[in-house]
Amino acid sequence: MRSLSPVVGIPACAFPVDTLPFHGAGDKYVRAVREYTLSLPLIIPAIGPQLDLDDLLRHLDGLLITGSESNVEPRHYNGPPSAPGTLHDPERDATTLPLLRKAIAAGVPVLAICRGHQELNVALGGTLHQVVHNVPGFFKHSPDETLPIEEQFEVAHSVRLTSGGMLRSLMQTETIMVNSLHDQGIDSLAPDLIVEATAEDGMIEAVRVKEAPSFALGVQWHPEWLCSEASASIPIFRAFGAAVSRRSRR
C-alpha cells in the first residue's frame, strides 16, 4: 500500500563499524527531511548495480543526496589519483551517480548537499578540485576539526546569489551566510548546470540543473544544520518539499 506521506530517498554511505560493514545516513538529514518537507525519509542502501533504479524511482517523490566524510573517486571525472589516505566510498559512488542522472531525467525532485553537490556535478560531466585550499586563489573551506561539532557547523562565510536565479528568488536577498565544511569543490562546471551562488573567492557554492523537469538543486553548504545562524537556508527545504508534494499528488 502506498504511504500517505511523500517519500524522499536518502542514499546511504557504506562504512565499517568495528570491522563490520554498515549502511547509514546522518540523523540531521533524516530529521530535516521529515521536519521541513513532511515526508517519509527512506534510506537507500549503497549497493549500486544490485538496485533496480527505475523501479526505485517509481516509489520516490524526492531524492536527497547527503554530505559525507568520503570524497568522490577521481576516476569518475578523469582526475589525478587522490592523495594517500583519502577516504573514498566506491559503493556510494556506484549508487548515487547513476541514480542522480535517472532521477533528474524522470522528474524526481533532487536536493544535493555538500558531497551530493559535488556528485551532481560529476554525474552530469563536471570535474572537481580535490583539495580546494591547495588551489591558488581559493581560501580554506574546511572546518577546524579540533572545535566542537556545533562550532564546526557555524556559519563561516558569505555567498552571493546569482541575479535572476532560483535561490535569489527564494531568499529575496543578494547574499547569505553559510556553513562551509568541505575539501573538494567544483572545478569545471557540468554542461547542464547553472551557477546559483558563489563564495567570495569564486568557489561555486550552488548549482541548478538547467532544463530539469522538476526541482534539481545542489548546494555546497549544509542547510540541514538548521541552527538559528543557518536559518536563511530553510527556504531551500521548503521549496524542495513543495516539489516533493507536487510529485506525490501526481
Side-chain angles (χ1 to χ4, degrees), residues 18 41 50 56-57 62 70 79 99 109 134-135 149 157 159 168 172-173 176 188 204 219-220 225 228 231 237 243 246:
D18 294 332
Q50 298 177 57
L56 171 64
L57 289 168
S70 66
L99 182 58
N134 286 348
V135 180
I149 192 68
H157 63 78
V159 297
R168 176 76 74 92
Q172 292 295 300
T173 186
I176 59 171
S188 64
I204 296 172
V219 295
Q220 184 58 80
W225 188 265
S228 59
S231 61
F237 270 99
R246 287 192 295 271

Short mmCIF file of all heavy atoms in Angstrom, two decimals, residues 18 41 50 56-57 62 70 79 99 109 134-135 149 157 159 168 172-173 176 188 204 219-220 225 228 231 237 243 246:
data_model
loop_
_atom_site.label_atom_id
_atom_site.label_comp_id
_atom_site.label_asym_id
_atom_site.label_seq_id
_atom_site.Cartn_x
_atom_site.Cartn_y
_atom_site.Cartn_z
N ASP A 18 33.35 -1.33 13.77
CA ASP A 18 34.03 -2.46 14.42
C ASP A 18 34.31 -3.58 13.42
O ASP A 18 34.06 -4.76 13.68
CB ASP A 18 33.18 -3.00 15.58
CG ASP A 18 33.04 -1.99 16.70
OD1 ASP A 18 33.95 -1.16 16.86
OD2 ASP A 18 32.02 -2.02 17.41
N PRO A 41 11.38 9.84 5.26
CA PRO A 41 12.75 9.60 4.78
C PRO A 41 12.99 8.09 4.61
O PRO A 41 12.72 7.31 5.51
CB PRO A 41 13.64 10.17 5.88
CG PRO A 41 12.71 10.88 6.84
CD PRO A 41 11.37 10.24 6.68
N GLN A 50 23.15 -3.58 -7.87
CA GLN A 50 22.13 -4.51 -7.39
C GLN A 50 20.75 -3.86 -7.27
O GLN A 50 19.75 -4.55 -7.08
CB GLN A 50 22.54 -5.08 -6.02
CG GLN A 50 23.83 -5.89 -6.06
CD GLN A 50 24.22 -6.37 -4.69
OE1 GLN A 50 23.45 -7.05 -4.01
NE2 GLN A 50 25.41 -6.01 -4.24
N LEU A 56 13.04 1.72 -8.27
CA LEU A 56 13.19 2.52 -7.06
C LEU A 56 12.56 3.90 -7.23
O LEU A 56 11.80 4.37 -6.38
CB LEU A 56 14.67 2.65 -6.70
CG LEU A 56 15.02 3.62 -5.57
CD1 LEU A 56 14.41 3.16 -4.25
CD2 LEU A 56 16.54 3.75 -5.44
N LEU A 57 12.86 4.55 -8.35
CA LEU A 57 12.38 5.91 -8.56
C LEU A 57 10.86 5.98 -8.68
O LEU A 57 10.26 7.02 -8.40
CB LEU A 57 13.05 6.52 -9.79
CG LEU A 57 14.53 6.85 -9.60
CD1 LEU A 57 15.19 7.18 -10.94
CD2 LEU A 57 14.70 8.01 -8.62
N GLY A 62 10.97 12.25 -4.02
CA GLY A 62 12.11 13.16 -3.95
C GLY A 62 13.37 12.38 -3.62
O GLY A 62 13.32 11.22 -3.22
N SER A 70 33.61 11.06 3.10
CA SER A 70 34.34 10.49 1.96
C SER A 70 34.30 11.43 0.77
O SER A 70 33.44 12.32 0.68
CB SER A 70 33.74 9.14 1.57
OG SER A 70 32.42 9.30 1.07
N GLY A 79 40.11 12.55 -13.06
CA GLY A 79 41.04 13.34 -12.27
C GLY A 79 42.27 12.54 -11.89
O GLY A 79 42.30 11.31 -12.01
N LEU A 99 22.03 7.12 -10.09
CA LEU A 99 20.73 7.46 -9.54
C LEU A 99 20.39 8.93 -9.80
O LEU A 99 19.25 9.27 -10.13
CB LEU A 99 20.69 7.16 -8.05
CG LEU A 99 19.38 7.42 -7.30
CD1 LEU A 99 18.22 6.63 -7.92
CD2 LEU A 99 19.53 7.09 -5.82
N PRO A 109 12.23 15.34 -7.87
CA PRO A 109 12.93 16.47 -7.26
C PRO A 109 14.20 16.02 -6.54
O PRO A 109 14.21 15.00 -5.84
CB PRO A 109 11.90 17.02 -6.26
CG PRO A 109 10.57 16.59 -6.80
CD PRO A 109 10.82 15.24 -7.43
N ASN A 134 44.39 23.94 -1.61
CA ASN A 134 45.67 23.79 -2.29
C ASN A 134 45.68 24.44 -3.68
O ASN A 134 46.70 24.45 -4.35
CB ASN A 134 46.03 22.31 -2.45
CG ASN A 134 46.46 21.68 -1.13
OD1 ASN A 134 46.72 22.38 -0.15
ND2 ASN A 134 46.51 20.36 -1.09
N VAL A 135 44.53 24.97 -4.09
CA VAL A 135 44.41 25.61 -5.40
C VAL A 135 44.59 27.11 -5.23
O VAL A 135 43.88 27.74 -4.44
CB VAL A 135 43.02 25.32 -6.03
CG1 VAL A 135 42.91 25.99 -7.40
CG2 VAL A 135 42.80 23.82 -6.15
N ILE A 149 31.64 20.02 17.42
CA ILE A 149 30.92 19.88 16.16
C ILE A 149 29.96 21.05 15.93
O ILE A 149 29.78 21.52 14.79
CB ILE A 149 30.16 18.53 16.12
CG1 ILE A 149 29.64 18.25 14.71
CG2 ILE A 149 29.05 18.50 17.14
CD1 ILE A 149 30.71 17.99 13.69
N HIS A 157 31.16 31.86 6.00
CA HIS A 157 31.42 32.90 5.01
C HIS A 157 30.13 33.22 4.24
O HIS A 157 29.14 32.50 4.35
CB HIS A 157 32.53 32.48 4.04
CG HIS A 157 32.21 31.28 3.21
ND1 HIS A 157 31.40 31.32 2.09
CD2 HIS A 157 32.58 29.97 3.33
CE1 HIS A 157 31.30 30.12 1.56
NE2 HIS A 157 32.00 29.27 2.29
N VAL A 159 27.94 33.94 0.66
CA VAL A 159 27.88 33.59 -0.75
C VAL A 159 26.96 34.60 -1.44
O VAL A 159 25.99 35.09 -0.85
CB VAL A 159 27.36 32.15 -1.01
CG1 VAL A 159 28.29 31.13 -0.41
CG2 VAL A 159 25.95 31.95 -0.49
N ARG A 168 18.12 33.33 -5.56
CA ARG A 168 17.87 34.75 -5.32
C ARG A 168 16.37 34.99 -5.14
O ARG A 168 15.96 35.77 -4.29
CB ARG A 168 18.42 35.58 -6.48
CG ARG A 168 18.14 37.09 -6.38
CD ARG A 168 19.03 37.78 -5.37
NE ARG A 168 20.39 37.92 -5.86
CZ ARG A 168 20.84 38.99 -6.53
NH1 ARG A 168 20.03 39.99 -6.80
NH2 ARG A 168 22.10 39.05 -6.92
N GLN A 172 15.23 36.23 -1.58
CA GLN A 172 14.91 37.66 -1.65
C GLN A 172 16.03 38.52 -1.08
O GLN A 172 15.80 39.50 -0.36
CB GLN A 172 13.59 37.95 -0.92
CG GLN A 172 12.36 37.36 -1.60
CD GLN A 172 12.09 38.00 -2.96
OE1 GLN A 172 11.88 39.20 -3.07
NE2 GLN A 172 12.15 37.19 -4.01
N THR A 173 17.27 38.13 -1.39
CA THR A 173 18.44 38.89 -0.96
C THR A 173 19.60 38.57 -1.89
O THR A 173 19.57 37.57 -2.61
CB THR A 173 18.81 38.56 0.50
OG1 THR A 173 19.86 39.42 0.93
CG2 THR A 173 19.25 37.11 0.64
N ILE A 176 23.89 35.57 1.38
CA ILE A 176 23.53 34.89 2.64
C ILE A 176 24.81 34.35 3.26
O ILE A 176 25.82 34.15 2.58
CB ILE A 176 22.53 33.74 2.43
CG1 ILE A 176 23.10 32.68 1.48
CG2 ILE A 176 21.19 34.26 1.93
CD1 ILE A 176 22.25 31.40 1.40
N SER A 188 35.56 22.28 -13.12
CA SER A 188 34.81 22.60 -14.32
C SER A 188 33.34 22.25 -14.10
O SER A 188 33.01 21.18 -13.60
CB SER A 188 35.36 21.84 -15.53
OG SER A 188 35.20 20.45 -15.38
N ILE A 204 32.27 27.83 -6.60
CA ILE A 204 30.87 27.62 -6.91
C ILE A 204 30.20 26.94 -5.71
O ILE A 204 30.57 25.84 -5.32
CB ILE A 204 30.71 26.75 -8.17
CG1 ILE A 204 31.28 27.49 -9.39
CG2 ILE A 204 29.23 26.41 -8.40
CD1 ILE A 204 31.34 26.64 -10.64
N VAL A 219 23.78 22.39 -3.32
CA VAL A 219 24.42 23.44 -2.51
C VAL A 219 25.63 22.85 -1.80
O VAL A 219 25.59 21.73 -1.30
CB VAL A 219 23.44 24.05 -1.49
CG1 VAL A 219 22.32 24.79 -2.20
CG2 VAL A 219 22.88 23.03 -0.53
N GLN A 220 26.70 23.64 -1.75
CA GLN A 220 27.94 23.17 -1.15
C GLN A 220 27.88 23.23 0.38
O GLN A 220 28.60 22.52 1.07
CB GLN A 220 29.12 23.98 -1.67
CG GLN A 220 30.48 23.53 -1.20
CD GLN A 220 30.80 22.09 -1.56
OE1 GLN A 220 31.18 21.80 -2.68
NE2 GLN A 220 30.64 21.17 -0.61
N TRP A 225 21.63 21.68 8.68
CA TRP A 225 22.06 22.03 10.04
C TRP A 225 21.30 23.30 10.41
O TRP A 225 21.78 24.41 10.24
CB TRP A 225 23.57 22.25 10.09
CG TRP A 225 24.08 22.41 11.48
CD1 TRP A 225 24.30 23.59 12.14
CD2 TRP A 225 24.47 21.38 12.38
NE1 TRP A 225 24.78 23.36 13.39
CE2 TRP A 225 24.89 22.00 13.57
CE3 TRP A 225 24.48 19.99 12.32
CZ2 TRP A 225 25.34 21.29 14.68
CZ3 TRP A 225 24.92 19.28 13.42
CH2 TRP A 225 25.35 19.91 14.57
N SER A 228 20.02 28.53 14.35
CA SER A 228 19.50 29.85 14.04
C SER A 228 20.38 30.59 13.04
O SER A 228 19.90 31.32 12.18
CB SER A 228 19.37 30.68 15.32
OG SER A 228 20.62 30.82 15.97
N SER A 231 19.52 29.62 9.46
CA SER A 231 18.09 29.58 9.15
C SER A 231 17.76 30.18 7.79
O SER A 231 16.69 29.92 7.25
CB SER A 231 17.29 30.30 10.24
OG SER A 231 17.67 31.66 10.32
N PHE A 237 14.72 23.98 1.83
CA PHE A 237 13.95 22.78 2.17
C PHE A 237 12.47 22.99 1.91
O PHE A 237 11.77 22.06 1.51
CB PHE A 237 14.19 22.40 3.63
CG PHE A 237 15.34 21.46 3.81
CD1 PHE A 237 16.59 21.92 4.20
CD2 PHE A 237 15.18 20.10 3.58
CE1 PHE A 237 17.65 21.05 4.36
CE2 PHE A 237 16.25 19.22 3.74
CZ PHE A 237 17.48 19.70 4.12
N ALA A 243 8.07 20.80 -4.09
CA ALA A 243 8.23 19.99 -5.32
C ALA A 243 7.93 18.53 -5.03
O ALA A 243 7.32 17.84 -5.85
CB ALA A 243 9.64 20.17 -5.86
N ARG A 246 4.18 18.08 -4.84
CA ARG A 246 3.54 18.10 -6.16
C ARG A 246 3.69 16.76 -6.86
O ARG A 246 2.75 16.25 -7.45
CB ARG A 246 4.14 19.23 -7.02
CG ARG A 246 3.70 20.62 -6.61
CD ARG A 246 4.09 21.64 -7.66
NE ARG A 246 5.52 21.78 -7.83
CZ ARG A 246 6.28 22.62 -7.14
NH1 ARG A 246 5.73 23.39 -6.19
NH2 ARG A 246 7.57 22.70 -7.35
#
